Structure formats: C-alpha cells, structure tokens
C-alpha cells in the first residue's frame, strides 16, 4: 500500500526499528566493517513525548493515558464510525478491531505514575542498564516499566527520558497505536529540556517526526543529532528515511553510503537495501539484506530482516521464497505483525485463499491498520461468499476510523487515505488527500497515489504523467505497473498499456486480490 517507512507496510523491525511506515536505531562506537564498495538501503521508526515540568513540579506521568491535544470532533467522529462498524460486523474478529481502535482513541494502556523533580537533583545520564539497547531486548513492555520506575527515582536523568520516548515510539509502531506518540513527544522533550544538546533525544525526535510522516522535521532533527554525534546510528538511519520519503533519492543514496561507512549494521543495511531496490537494483538489495540477516543476533532483528527479505521476494513474485523468509521471521517472533501480514499475502498470492484469510483475520483482530484492513476486505470480495461484501465494507469503514485516530495524534495519513479511498471509499477525498501529499513530497509512492486518484475520478490525461513518474526510477512494483497500464489504456496508449499490464502480471501475478484479476481482464480486453 505505502512505502516501507509507513507503519502500514512492511513496517519496521521490532529490534532495529525501521520502514513510514512506515515505517527506524541506537548509538554505539564507530564500526569497523562496511558493505562492499559500490552499493546502497531504507526503513522507518516511531516516537512520543511528555510535557516538561520545571524543577519541583510533577513530571510526565508514564502510566497515564494521555489525552493528546487533538481535534475532539475528529475523535468523536472516529469513535462513532468504529462503533457503527462494530454493530454491523458479524464476526468476532472485527468486533475486536473496533474495540482496539476505541481503546487507542481513549489513550491506550500504559500508566505513568507521577514523577517529580527533586529540588536540587543533579542531572544524570541513564545508566547502562537503561541504554537504548534495552529496546531490542525482546520485552518492550518490561523495558518501559523498568524505565518508568527508574525515572520516578531519577527524574532528572535526561538519558532515561530519551530512552523512554524511543520506547513509546517503538510501542506505537509495533502495536499500531498512534496514541503513544504524544507520550513519546513528552518524554523526548523532557530529555531535551534537561540537556538541549543530547543527540539521542534529537535522534528520537527525528524518529518521532518520521513516524508521524513529518519528513522535513525528521531531517531537521536527524541533522541536529548528527552535528552532536556523527556516528549516532538512529540519526543516520532516520536521515536516510527522511530523504527517501521526501523523494530525494540521490541524496538518500549518498546518506546511505555515509551511514554504511560510519555505522554498518542491521538498521543501516536495511535502509541501504531499500534505496537500491527503489532504483531497481534488486540483486544488491537482496545481497545487503542477506548480509544484514547473517549479522543479526537479536530475535527482533532476525524477524525484521527476514520480513524485509520476504517483502523483497514477494515483490518479485517469488512466493515460495517469501513464505520461507516470513516463516523464519515468525520463528524468531511469532507476534511480529509485518511477518504475519506478509505471510498471509504470500499465501493469498500462492492460491491458498483460506489460509490467507485466516492469517489476515488474525492480524486485523490485533492490529487494525489500513494495509491489512484493505487486503482482508479485498480477500472477502474476491471470495464472494454470503456476507462477504458486508464484511469488506465494514473493514473499509475501519480504515476511516484509523485515519481519524492517526490525525488526532498528529500523524499525516494522507497517503494511506488516498490509497484506500481511491478503490474503496470517497474518490473525491482520495484525490484531495493525494494532492495534499504530493504538495509535501514527490516520491514514487505519492506519484502513484496521485495518478490512481486522478484515474478513479475520470482524469486520466492528467494522471498519465504521474503514473509514468511512479515507474521512472526502475522500482519493480507490480501495482505501479498495473496502475500505469490501466491509465494508458484509458488514454488510448494501447500498446503501452498492454506492455505494462503484462509486465505487472509477469513480475508479481498475485500483487493484489482484486487488482491482479482486473489487470488480467483489462489485458484480455486490450488484445
């Protein structure tokens, strides 16, 4: 659906923190090895923050469920949509989705007991036990609890606040809960109020901005962190993410080379690989991901990189390899959502629709994010059993609820809105969202989204240049090729349409439950 940095698509690694998807890394000493010369990667992180109290005042409450500053009308409307969808939904899974969204909208689940500054307490850095590396320990909830307890005793520990903010970012990403972002913002700001030049907190702000799809902000904070510490792994990674998501691919390639020379490791390798994939260099992307996997030891890193390999294989139509990679990811972490989603997609593309529906229902029941919601809805539509059309409509309605929740927590959801609404919602809203996103950034994904939104609104001549731009970098994406072929067919470019529809189906014949079928129908009509 969207670029890797988006939380909706091969999201990001649990341990290394990714694609904004979504959509991000830790700081250590200068590395010694790097990827063999001559090649380049991508992914995305997440974030949250608490208000910074003055000395002696109550600090951010880690256990409280924040009521983020947001538009109350939006939140109320979103809750109503979820409730309505829940009433219509006949299966337990979707009732669970509505409940999850309702919980998220009222702020979620981590309480944050009152933390007070001691009058003359000395500013201290987080002890090694509370370093950012603890985020990859495999038990994020336990790590957050330990940080909260530590900060009650040491409220002026700027390192601890930064790490807590990063933990909330990761929690938001892995649980699909944007309500964590305000908490992350508060914690990271608390760190910066105590130590304005702390590079880890600035890198956390970069991760948070990227998670909210504020890529200009992510670039600004990443550059600020790198001014303090040129080897900050998280900042190096977020800088690549931001440049990729702004469509500045040449600069992203250079940033990946720089990051590789300074901090080779899983976070940088995965981003390096994505930069190469966007340029059509699949062979290098796979080689670098293989290298990343061979160096991964933490379960989260193994799940993350294996899922990236699974996505790469799926994009090329190699479903057997994709299933193998996703199985390895799930062996490392059976709850890792990108692997669960990717595995179900690969099952669907392989023809095992029943298993794919069951797998995607499990994903949606726990994490009702736009990507899985749309895929499951399309699987229901494709199956066409009694009640399936109503189930699909309810799922598409939940995308609207997620979008409202995301926006209430300062997440720019225009790309997700454009992609989902173009096929399954308000076409005029899809075009408005796509235009808004294009005004902010010119990427292959925003070009494709705008092209398709223009097409579904009957503006094919205007859509064609954007469809061509989406495929101009060499990125091997069957959906982009399908969209271009359909638009070319509508504008009378019959030969080009036939070529691109054929290319889409040859590359990845199961790229979409409904899109692949429509591509075959259009191709038959063009011959």
């Amino acid at each position: 659906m969207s670029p890797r940095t988006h939380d909706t698509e091969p999201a990001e690694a649990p341990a290394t923190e990714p694609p904004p998807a979504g959509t991000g890394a830790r700081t250590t000493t200068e590395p010694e090895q790097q990827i063999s010369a001559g090649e380049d990667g991508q992914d995305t992180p997440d974030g949250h923050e608490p208000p910074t109290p003055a000395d002696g005042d109550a600090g951010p409450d880690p256990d409280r469920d924040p009521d983020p500053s947001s538009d109350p009308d939006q939140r109320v409307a979103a809750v109503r949509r979820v409730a309505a969808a829940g009433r219509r939904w006949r299966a337990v899974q979707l009732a669970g989705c509505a409940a999850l969204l309702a919980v998220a909208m009222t702020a979620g689940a981590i309480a944050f007991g009152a933390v007070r500054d001691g009058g003359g307490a000395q500013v201290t850095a987080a002890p090694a036990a509370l370093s950012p590396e603890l985020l990859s320990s495999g038990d994020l909830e336990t790590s957050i609890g330990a940080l909260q307890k530590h900060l009650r005793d040491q409220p002026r520990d700027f390192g601890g606040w930064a790490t807590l903010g990063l933990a909330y970012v990761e929690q938001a990403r892995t649980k699909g809960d944007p309500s964590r972002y305000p908490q992350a913002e508060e914690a990271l700001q608390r760190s910066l109020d105590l130590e304005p030049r702390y590079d880890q907190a600035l890198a956390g702000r970069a991760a948070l901005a990227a998670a909210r799809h504020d890529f200009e902000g992510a670039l600004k904070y990443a550059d600020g962190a790198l001014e303090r510490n040129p080897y900050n792994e998280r900042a190096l990674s977020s800088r690549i993410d931001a440049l990729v998501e702004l469509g500045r691919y040449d600069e992203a390639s250079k940033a990946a080379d720089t990051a590789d020379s300074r901090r080779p490791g899983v976070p940088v390798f995965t981003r390096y690989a994505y930069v190469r994939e966007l340029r059509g260099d699949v062979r290098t992307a796979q080689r670098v991901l293989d290298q990343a996997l061979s160096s991964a030891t933490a379960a989260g890193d193994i799940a993350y990189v294996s899922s990236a390999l699974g996505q790469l294989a799926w994009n090329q139509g190699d479903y057997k390899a994709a299933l193998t990679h996703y199985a390895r990811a799930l062996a490392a972490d059976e709850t890792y959502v990108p692997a669960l989603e990717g595995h179900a997609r690969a099952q669907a593309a392989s023809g095992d629709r029943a298993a794919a529906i069951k797998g995607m229902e499990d994903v949606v029941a726990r994490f009702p994010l736009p990507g899985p919601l749309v895929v499951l809805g399309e699987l229901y539509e494709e199956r066409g059993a009694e009640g399936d059309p109503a189930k699909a409509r309810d799922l598409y309605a939940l995308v609207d609820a997620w979008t409202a929740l995301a926006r209430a927590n300062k997440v720019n959801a225009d790309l997700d809105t454009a992609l989902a609404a173009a096929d399954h919602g308000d076409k005029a809203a899809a075009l408005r969202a796509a235009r808004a996103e294009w005004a902010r950034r010119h990427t292959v994904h925003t070009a494709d989204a705008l092209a398709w939104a223009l097409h579904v609104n009957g503006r094919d001549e205007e859509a064609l240049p954007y469809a061509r731009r989406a495929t101009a970098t060499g990125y091997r994406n069957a959906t982009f090729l399908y969209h271009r072929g359909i638009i070319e067919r509508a504008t009378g470019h019959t030969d080009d349409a036939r070529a691109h529809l054929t290319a889409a189906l040859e590359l990845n014949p199961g790229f979409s439950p409904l899109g692949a079928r429509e591509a075959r129908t259009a191709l038959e009509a063009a011959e």
Side-chain angles (χ1 to χ4, degrees):
M1 242 180 94
S2 48
R4 283 195 191 174
T5 56
H6 288 38
D7 46 39
T8 57
E9 32 172 82
E12 276 81 337
T16 60
E17 130 187 39
T23 4
R26 290 163 296 278
T27 308
T28 50
T29 57
E30 182 173 0
E32 303 173 5
Q33 46 156 190
Q34 80 181 74
I35 304 172
S36 50
E39 284 116 17
D40 329 11
Q42 134 79 8
D43 241 86
T44 308
D46 331 43
H48 284 57
E49 306 168 33
T52 303
D55 287 351
D57 293 339
D61 184 3
D63 281 339
R64 87 180 148 70
D65 291 329
D67 182 14
S69 57
S70 59
D71 182 346
D73 291 336
Q74 252 187 345
R75 294 166 66 84
V76 170
V79 171
R80 287 174 178 167
R81 280 195 293 274
V82 174
R87 286 193 297 272
R88 293 193 306 271
W89 185 240
R90 297 166 182 78
V92 173
Q93 286 90 346
L94 194 54
C97 293
L100 279 176
L101 281 167
V103 167
M105 287 182 200
T106 56
I110 295 247
F112 211 95
V115 176
R116 296 186 178 275
D117 280 335
Q122 181 180 1
V123 176
T124 57
L130 296 178
S131 70
E133 278 68 19
L134 69 78
L135 299 185
S136 62
S137 65
D139 189 346
L140 189 59
E141 305 295 334
T142 298
S143 297
I144 288 175
L147 280 164
Q148 292 171 344
K149 182 178 185 299
H150 168 76
L151 288 167
R152 290 187 193 101
D153 297 332
Q154 299 289 336
R156 296 185 62 80
D157 178 359
F158 61 85
W161 284 113
T163 304
L164 180 61
L166 291 167
Y168 284 140
V169 170
E170 183 66 8
Q171 188 180 53
R173 183 184 63 74
T174 57
K175 293 192 175 301
D177 181 3
S179 71
R180 292 292 158 228
Y181 292 142
Q183 283 181 295
E185 185 174 349
E186 293 178 20
L188 291 166
Q189 188 58 51
R190 174 67 164 155
S191 176
L192 289 170
D193 284 345
L194 291 166
E195 179 50 69
R197 295 175 59 83
Y198 186 40
D199 66 285
Q200 196 62 255
L202 290 167
R205 289 303 304 261
L208 173 60
R212 284 171 157 170
H213 301 173
D214 173 13
F215 299 110
E216 291 285 1
L219 185 60
K220 179 188 75 172
Y221 282 115
D223 285 341
L226 292 171
E227 286 179 10
R228 276 73 172 175
N229 176 8
Y231 297 95
N232 185 303
E233 185 181 54
R234 186 178 299 273
L236 288 166
S237 298
S238 290
R239 189 169 195 277
I240 301 168
D241 293 340
L243 290 168
V244 164
E245 293 305 324
L246 290 169
R248 294 159 60 174
Y249 298 131
D250 289 342
E251 292 176 74
S253 181
K254 292 176 183 176
D257 286 337
T258 297
D260 175 41
S261 68
R262 294 179 185 175
R263 292 302 308 277
V266 169
V268 171
F269 287 178
T270 51
R271 289 162 169 82
Y272 190 105
Y274 188 45
V275 170
R276 299 312 305 178
E277 184 186 357
L278 284 170
R279 293 176 173 275
D281 188 356
V282 173
R283 180 175 298 180
T284 297
Q286 181 165 350
R287 179 180 64 76
V288 174
L289 287 174
D290 284 338
Q291 182 175 345
L293 185 59
S294 69
S295 66
T297 55
D301 286 346
I302 293 170
Y304 178 35
V305 180
S306 295
S307 294
L309 281 163
Q311 177 70 16
L312 184 65
W314 184 84
N315 282 344
Q316 314 314 310
D318 188 349
Y319 307 134
K320 182 177 180 181
L323 287 168
T324 298
H325 289 306
Y326 287 128
R328 181 166 184 177
L330 293 171
D333 180 356
E334 63 182 6
T335 67
Y336 188 44
V337 177
L340 291 167
E341 180 185 347
H343 192 264
R345 285 178 183 262
Q347 287 175 318
S350 300
D352 192 351
R353 185 171 60 197
I357 288 176
K358 182 180 185 305
M360 202 61 77
E361 285 174 341
D362 290 342
V363 172
V364 163
R366 286 182 285 175
F367 302 100
L369 299 171
L373 287 168
V374 168
V375 171
L376 181 55
E378 291 190 349
L379 285 170
Y380 284 143
E381 286 196 63
E382 182 192 39
R383 185 174 64 181
E386 184 178 356
D388 278 350
K391 290 181 180 180
R393 287 193 298 273
D394 287 334
L395 287 166
Y396 303 145
L398 282 176
V399 174
D400 291 338
W402 180 91
T403 299
L405 169 62
R407 287 175 173 161
N409 288 279
K410 302 180 182 179
V411 178
N412 167 25
D414 279 336
L415 184 58
D416 301 279
T417 298
L419 291 166
D423 286 324
H424 306 294
D426 183 336
K427 293 177 173 51
L431 182 54
R432 287 193 299 272
R435 286 196 186 284
E437 195 64 18
W438 181 256
R440 281 186 286 268
R441 54 197 181 107
H442 294 178
T443 70
V444 293
H445 293 89
T446 52
D448 173 70
L450 180 52
W452 197 240
L454 286 164
H455 163 72
V456 299
N457 281 276
R459 303 171 70 163
D460 292 292
E461 291 291 347
E462 191 178 346
L464 186 55
Y466 294 104
R468 289 171 172 166
R469 183 160 180 166
T471 57
T473 67
Y475 181 39
R476 292 167 57 82
N477 185 299
T479 298
F480 291 8
L481 293 167
Y482 156 62
H483 287 168
R484 178 171 174 173
I486 293 293
I487 292 168
E488 286 171 334
R489 178 169 174 258
T491 53
H493 296 80
T494 307
D495 291 341
D496 289 339
R498 186 182 299 111
H500 288 111
L501 291 170
T502 299
L505 292 170
E506 287 180 348
L507 175 62
N508 185 355
F511 67 87
S512 162
L514 299 183
R517 183 178 67 188
E518 291 168 3
R520 287 190 290 271
T521 300
L523 188 58
E524 290 170 2
E527 290 178 348

